[in-house]
């Protein structure tokens, strides 16, 4: 049984005396048979809480600098129309009382707290986002990560790894971007894919008849992301591809020793870390390790593709670009900003080559 | 001075006795010198409020069905690190106390209430969305509508009309979709644009050397949406276009009387209404009026393009399609789902033709 949390906020052009505002609202709460408690705030405005039937709670604050905030919490199965009326009545009364002083009225969609399906998944740049998720398709904690697949009415099934929206069935744009935005010809080429467990990249590149794709992956989404991977993950070996379910570091090291190279390396393991304190963050070390090995196995005329992160995380992106200057081989890079539908933020993709 | 509102929610597999949980948390609030008030809830779980220095407020609820919710409100200029520590301490303590019983812990990005720049603009399908807006570029209440232009780091300037995100500088995909997704040839054609005050459609279609574009618009965005409109709105008349700043209904009626027709009619006036009770909503009547007139001035082999609404609003879309069956001339239609970057929801566009 989830909690619905409504907010109603009024910005004022000038501070207002609670004594002229609050009494006008009290009759509304009394009609709802709510019990009032006025709190001592030590000079930080007026604060009252109202507790009603069915677990309803209202917090009313008249802040001392020209802001009125109202919170209304109720249970999901409460009478929503009645609560809308309560908010309408409060809004109307406040408009009457504060006429001419109001610069903004803001009433947000109710926040659903503790709901059966969690609809709130912040963007990489830390913004609050409500998705249209209506059911949990799959949930598991593996040794490596927390894997969730949720269903979105508009985006289809969405893979969420450790709380990060990873890929939705709608996100052809992601796959296209990380294989070079249609500007590459994979025919007859040697391709190495790191990660890509959803199968989307493999399914796309295979269409172009490469010589051989080698893919290192930890676990697959073959049951729940069919629109993304088709049937490509049903067999670990095909005419021009093989999937190795194993850790990629030892395999990369072996390739380096053997002098084996690839025309394309596509790194879909993870977004670049958000932390901008690399010395404190072992994920940056892991990233550099993989990156250095991957560039080592890249053919001199080859290309390395990877996703970056949200275009808004400019510090993290700069730090990543700094790392590129610290590899064993000197590299050049370019980047592209892409709209991946289910991300709800613009995303940066990198192309890296040996200089 | 805005309010930061944090939430910390724990879903439990079984209801928990507040007497075994709450005392363990009290020392944390006492350290913060917060004053506790315990409220009578008439059997709806445990509810306490804590008021602290600097206007801090905590609401702690242990609901009777296996949910713990915590709200923390503070002012924007408060010591954020200290409040993060408080939330961390509460989360850690609750994890210790409820070990094994917790099925989900959710801590959302703080809701900024009453902030100088309003970052919360719900989607058409009613979801809570925080944008990365960092400044107000323009704000005006005209006789027709409330016009706001806000700046987004990733999307550029965004036009918001009556609270609806209308177009961002990043939204080339919108303009492309409403002119036929690159499948039309406008060279030498007669084109009528209804709305489109941002100039994006005009700027794109003009490139294809049409015979004449006639555009009806109420007001322009020529100062703040330069990336969208270029300099096309600086002059109301060009080689192959004229912009009429007037109401489109009387002009359309005149065209019908004169028997004038167009090869393309592009209706960018407004999204289709969300209300699914058409008899109660005059916006549906207005929509039908324009639609019927626009189809009347459409050449028998012409095409009519328009935006629909969020792909999730299937009822509203169906109702729109019903209207298409009630026009003076029989029409056929097709639709396309498009990702417009700044919308943060997939959007439906219609192509309509005379049968």
């Amino acid at each position: 049984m989830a909690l619905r949390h409504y907010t109603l906020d009024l910005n004022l052009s000038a501070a207002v005396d609670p004594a002229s505002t609050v009494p006008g609202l009290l009759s509304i709460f009394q009609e709802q048979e709510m019990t009032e408690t006025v709190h001592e705030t030590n000079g930080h405005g007026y604060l009252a809480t109202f507790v009603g039937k069915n677990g309803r709670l209202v917090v009313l604050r008249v802040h001392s600098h020209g802001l009125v905030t109202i919170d209304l919490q109720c249970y999901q199965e409460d009478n929503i129309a009645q609560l809308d009326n309560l908010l309408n009545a409060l809004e109307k009364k406040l408009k009457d009382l504060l006429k001419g002083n109001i610069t903004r009225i803001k009433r947000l969609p109710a926040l659903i707290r503790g709901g059966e399906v969690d609809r709130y998944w912040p963007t990489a740049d830390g913004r609050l986002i409500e998705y249209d998720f209506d059911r949990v398709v799959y949930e598991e904690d593996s040794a490596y990560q927390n894997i969730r697949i949720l269903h979105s009415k508009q985006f289809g099934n969405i893979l969420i790894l450790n709380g990060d929206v990873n890929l939705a069935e709608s996100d052809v744009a992601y796959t296209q971007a990380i294989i070079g935005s249609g500007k590459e010809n994979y025919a007859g080429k040697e391709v190495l894919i790191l990660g890509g467990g959803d199968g989307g990249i493999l399914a796309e590149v295979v269409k172009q008849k490469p010589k051989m794709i080698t893919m290192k992956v930890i676990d697959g989404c073959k049951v729940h992301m069919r629109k993304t991977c088709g049937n490509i993950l049903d067999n670990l070996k095909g005419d021009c591809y093989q999937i190795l379910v194993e850790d990629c570091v030892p395999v990369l090291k072996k390739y380096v020793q053997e002098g084996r190279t690839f025309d394309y390396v596509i790194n879909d393991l993870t977004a670049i870390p958000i932390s901008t304190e690399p010395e404190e963050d072992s994920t940056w070390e892991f990233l550099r390790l993989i990156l250095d090995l991957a560039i080592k196995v890249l053919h001199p005329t080859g290309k390395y593709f990877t996703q970056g992160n949200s275009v808004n995380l400019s510090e993290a992106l700069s730090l990543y670009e700094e790392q590129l200057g610290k590899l064993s081989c000197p590299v050049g890079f370019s980047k592209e900003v892409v709209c991946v539908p289910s991300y709800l933020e613009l995303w940066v993709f990198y192309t890296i080559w040996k200089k």
Side-chain angles (χ1 to χ4, degrees), chain A residues 95-340:
Chain A
K95 273 185 188 163
D96 289 347
L97 291 166
L98 300 167
K99 207 177 331 196
N101 191 7
I102 300 172
T103 56
R104 188 200 304 152
I105 298 179
K106 196 75 185 183
R107 212 162 131 179
L108 295 179
L111 206 60
I112 311 299
R113 301 173 63 178
E116 206 174 327
V117 181
D118 183 359
R119 292 164 62 95
Y120 303 91
W121 297 92
T123 54
D125 72 343
R127 288 173 293 113
L128 177 59
I129 294 283
E130 179 184 357
Y131 277 91
D132 60 343
F133 295 153
D134 51 11
R135 63 175 193 272
V136 178
V137 175
Y138 179 83
E139 178 152 24
E140 201 191 278
D141 285 292
S142 83
Y144 301 97
Q145 50 201 354
N146 169 268
I147 302 170
R148 271 199 201 82
I149 298 177
L150 299 178
H151 180 263
S152 151
K153 195 175 162 192
Q154 61 186 318
F155 301 127
N157 287 343
I158 300 199
L159 175 65
I160 297 179
L161 296 179
N162 297 332
D164 292 328
V165 169
N166 207 267
L167 197 79
E169 289 178 318
S170 60
D171 295 346
V172 179
Y174 179 95
T175 304
Q176 285 302 324
I178 206 167
I179 66 172
S181 299
K183 285 172 285 187
E184 304 302 321
N185 179 3
Y186 285 89
K189 299 290 169 60
E190 284 277 0
V191 184
L192 177 64
I193 301 174
L194 308 174
D198 53 72
I201 297 172
L202 182 60
E204 275 306 303
V205 175
V206 154
K207 290 180 191 166
Q208 294 192 31
K209 310 251 179 258
K211 187 173 167 200
M212 178 51 84
I213 305 174
T214 310
M215 179 160 135
K216 314 281 173 214
V217 70
I218 288 165
D219 204 350
C221 306
K222 62 183 175 186
V223 178
H224 301 291
M225 303 286 285
R226 296 302 289 206
K227 277 193 201 147
T228 302
C229 66
N231 59 4
I232 198 94
L233 297 179
D234 294 349
N235 296 304
L236 290 181
K237 210 164 161 43
D239 275 353
C240 62
Y241 69 89
Q242 56 172 333
I243 302 172
L244 306 174
V245 182
E246 56 188 287
D247 189 2
C248 70
V249 174
V251 186
L252 279 172
K253 285 185 173 163
K254 194 179 62 135
Y255 291 162
V256 172
Q257 275 186 333
E258 294 170 359
R260 188 168 167 192
T261 59
F262 296 87
D263 300 302
Y264 291 101
V265 177
I266 300 171
N267 181 346
D268 190 33
L269 285 170
T270 174
I272 68 172
I274 289 176
S275 155
T276 51
E277 295 170 29
E279 68 282 13
E280 283 174 35
D281 198 337
S282 66
T283 59
W284 277 101
E285 269 174 49
F286 179 68
L287 179 141
R288 269 198 308 268
L289 172 67
I290 304 264
L291 186 58
D292 203 58
L293 288 168
I295 296 293
K296 277 179 179 158
V297 303
L298 191 66
H299 189 272
T301 62
K303 283 185 185 169
Y304 175 94
F305 294 122
T306 192
Q307 61 158 318
N309 209 312
S310 163
V311 71
N312 275 355
L313 292 171
S314 21
E315 278 186 55
L317 295 170
S318 297
L319 195 52
Y320 178 72
E321 291 162 24
E322 261 177 46
Q323 311 302 313
L324 294 178
K326 294 177 186 167
L327 303 180
S328 325
C329 330
V331 298
F333 71 90
S334 65
K335 52 188 165 176
E336 188 187 9
V337 177
V338 175
C339 178
V340 179

Side-chain angles (χ1 to χ4, degrees), chain A residues 53-67:
Chain A
K53 56 192 172 190
N54 306 326
R56 293 177 190 171
L57 166 68
V58 169
V59 177
L60 167 65
R61 300 184 76 173
V62 181
H63 302 274
S64 42
H65 57 276
L67 175 67

Side-chain angles (χ1 to χ4, degrees), chain A residues 53-86:
Chain A
K53 56 192 172 190
N54 306 326
R56 293 177 190 171
L57 166 68
V58 169
V59 177
L60 167 65
R61 300 184 76 173
V62 181
H63 302 274
S64 42
H65 57 276
L67 175 67
V68 176
T69 58
I70 295 175
D71 293 81
L72 166 60
Q73 297 183 358
C74 67
Y75 291 117
Q76 186 115 53
E77 84 292 0
D78 203 333
N79 186 329
I80 303 301
Q82 214 172 80
L83 293 157
D84 273 336
N85 287 341
L86 171 56

